[in-house]
Amino acid sequence: MLANVFEPDVILPFLEHAPSMHRFAEFEFAKVLSATSVDIDFSLPPEPTRFDQAASSDEKDDWIKAMDEEIASMAKFGVFKRVRRSAARGRQILGARWVYKRKTNRFGKVYRYRARLVAQGHLQKEYDSFNPDELYSPVAHKNSLRTFLSLCAGESLSVHQADVKAAFYEALSEHLIAKGFAPIMGDPCVFRRVEPDGKVVLICTYVDDLTIGVTDQAQIPGLMSELRERFEIDSSEGGPIEYLLGIAVDQNIEAGTVHLSMEAAITKLCFSILTKEELAKSETVFTPMLTTPLKKQSERTVSKSTFDYLSVVGSLLHIVNCLRPDIAYAVGSLARFATTPGEQHVRACKRVLQYLFKTRALGITYSKDTGTNPKNVPFMYESAKHPLDN
């Protein structure tokens, strides 16, 4: 699909590099997750993008409290130190800005406000003050997260979650390693530790969101105490997992299942784009795309203000990456026309949304295997030996 993309100089930077594509998809879908409340109330304003917007909004007390917490946390952990401007010695001085984020639960209800003070690193020049090939986001891959949850189901590990108030990946990684954890070879954001009594602890990190799998729920208090030695974590954290990255997670220990669903997130996305008539018509949509091929246009005939095509495609990519491979081909096809969409492409995009809305209850359930493979050990097929294999 990418080899035949029509505008490679424009669209490939978004899609050809997997980490970049994932970041773009998550950025676009994050706007969807933050756009509504529990009853899909679209009166909730967009998150502020500047300090003056936050200070003048109806939620200003919440945003100011979040900013105060951020500054206090940065000071506590020595994130910055004050120096004179002359210390730059003629080198580039970067500015800073606030990034605001509402955190929502599985029903879309806002339960926390966050503010992050970040350097404007996008103003830096490549290979001058930084090497772009060495930058990465400290997040577990979606494949790793699904494998993690599948393993927890298969091994009857109890799944919990914790939110660290302010975590930097190098510090988090060092602390976990110091506590006896080791990152797995396939993903440095997934850690494993075997206790002296043989019990296992798995931690899947996503910036400052921790998904934890333990053999025994009694291990959680001790683990949270270890994490609080270095990081600020509310006393309410560490409970059974419910919601992560737009995915509702339900675990049934007795049945040996972990069920994943994006019903609420998909509903938000469709409600924000489709009309009432289009939502009603979704009942007649049984496939994500038609067999008639879409045609290339020489120029864009649908403005961004009329239909933000690229943003919608990015949101759909996030859903594909998380949970719905059944729309992967359709979304890949739509991505080919990201720079010059027309009415036919918008209709095709809305068809995918209608199909998702009709099938929004579909998800993935991982089950413990009680048949011929009681330990739920995955079968590995190899064509060559890995240098680190023993």
Side-chain angles (χ1 to χ4, degrees), residues 8 25 30 60 201 212 215 221 235 242 244 267-268 278 292 307 340 361 380-381 388:
K60 64 179 181 180
V201 182
I212 305 166
T215 304
S235 58
E242 293 184 349
L244 179 67
T267 300
K268 293 179 186 180
E278 290 168 337
T292 305
F307 188 86
T340 57
M380 304 288 289
Y381 297 93
L388 296 182

Side-chain angles (χ1 to χ4, degrees), residues 360-380:
R360 60 191 181 277
L362 294 182
I364 294 177
T365 299
Y366 296 113
S367 303
K368 183 176 182 178
D369 191 347
T370 58
T372 58
N373 185 25
K375 292 186 177 180
N376 200 36
V377 177
F379 290 96
M380 304 288 289

Side-chain angles (χ1 to χ4, degrees), residues 50-342:
R50 304 191 308 271
F51 169 78
D52 58 335
Q53 293 177 349
S56 60
S57 72
D58 294 336
E59 303 165 292
K60 64 179 181 180
D61 292 340
D62 297 304
W63 292 126
I64 291 176
K65 179 181 177 182
M67 288 188 285
D68 289 342
E69 290 178 351
E70 171 75 348
I71 293 298
S73 178
M74 295 178 83
K76 177 179 180 179
F77 293 113
V79 174
F80 64 87
K81 63 179 180 179
R82 299 179 183 274
V83 297
R84 293 185 178 276
R85 181 177 292 269
S86 58
R89 299 179 180 178
R91 291 175 295 182
Q92 181 185 19
I93 298 178
L94 296 176
R97 59 164 294 184
W98 285 102
V99 176
Y100 302 95
K101 170 71 176 175
R102 299 185 189 96
K103 298 213 71 173
T104 58
N105 61 17
R106 62 187 299 170
F107 304 108
K109 183 177 178 60
V110 180
Y111 69 90
R112 186 176 176 185
Y113 291 80
R114 277 194 163 181
R116 291 287 182 261
L117 185 63
V118 300
Q120 294 175 308
H122 64 288
L123 299 178
Q124 290 178 290
K125 297 178 181 179
E126 294 185 355
Y127 302 105
D128 180 12
S129 55
F130 79 103
N131 185 345
D133 297 327
E134 296 179 355
L135 294 181
Y136 63 94
S137 181
V139 298
H141 195 279
K142 298 297 190 305
N143 292 344
S144 301
L145 178 61
R146 287 192 299 271
T147 303
F148 172 93
L149 294 172
S150 174
L151 181 63
C152 288
E155 299 293 336
S156 298
L157 301 182
S158 178
V159 187
H160 298 253
Q161 64 185 155
D163 186 5
V164 182
K165 283 191 175 181
F168 295 87
Y169 182 67
E170 184 176 349
L172 179 59
S173 178
E174 290 177 352
H175 185 69
L176 290 176
I177 292 174
K179 292 298 181 180
F181 286 88
I184 67 173
M185 183 175 65
D187 192 325
C189 292
V190 180
F191 296 82
R192 181 176 185 270
R193 183 176 73 183
V194 179
E195 308 286 11
D197 58 2
K199 295 179 179 179
V200 175
V201 182
L202 299 177
I203 297 182
C204 186
T205 65
Y206 203 93
V207 187
D208 48 12
D209 288 319
L210 307 181
T211 307
I212 305 166
V214 292
T215 304
D216 186 347
Q217 296 187 36
Q219 297 170 263
I220 290 296
L223 176 62
M224 299 307 297
S225 296
E226 290 181 326
L227 293 173
R228 290 191 179 101
E229 292 177 10
R230 178 65 177 81
F231 305 103
E232 289 190 7
I233 304 177
D234 289 341
S235 58
S236 60
E237 298 293 335
I241 191 170
E242 293 184 349
Y243 187 73
L244 179 67
L245 307 175
I247 305 172
V249 184
D250 295 283
Q251 182 178 29
N252 187 324
I253 294 290
E254 291 73 21
T257 61
V258 174
H259 178 70
L260 313 181
S261 170
M262 295 189 74
E263 182 173 359
I266 289 173
T267 300
K268 293 179 186 180
L269 175 63
C270 294
F271 269 57
S272 65
I273 298 172
L274 300 176
T275 64
K276 292 182 179 180
E277 293 75 15
E278 290 168 337
L279 287 170
K281 190 178 178 181
S282 66
E283 287 300 316
T284 65
V285 178
F286 294 92
T287 58
M289 65 186 297
L290 299 174
T291 57
T292 305
L294 297 173
K295 297 181 179 179
K296 176 192 175 183
Q297 295 189 163
S298 59
E299 61 182 16
R300 182 175 192 148
T301 56
V302 176
S303 66
K304 180 178 179 180
S305 59
T306 302
F307 188 86
D308 194 346
Y309 186 87
L310 186 57
S311 179
V312 175
V313 170
S315 296
L316 292 173
L317 280 170
H318 177 79
I319 295 174
V320 170
N321 295 336
C322 287
L323 214 62
R324 296 295 297 269
D326 53 326
I327 64 170
Y329 184 83
V331 176
S333 178
L334 293 173
R336 301 174 67 187
F337 309 94
T339 56
T340 57

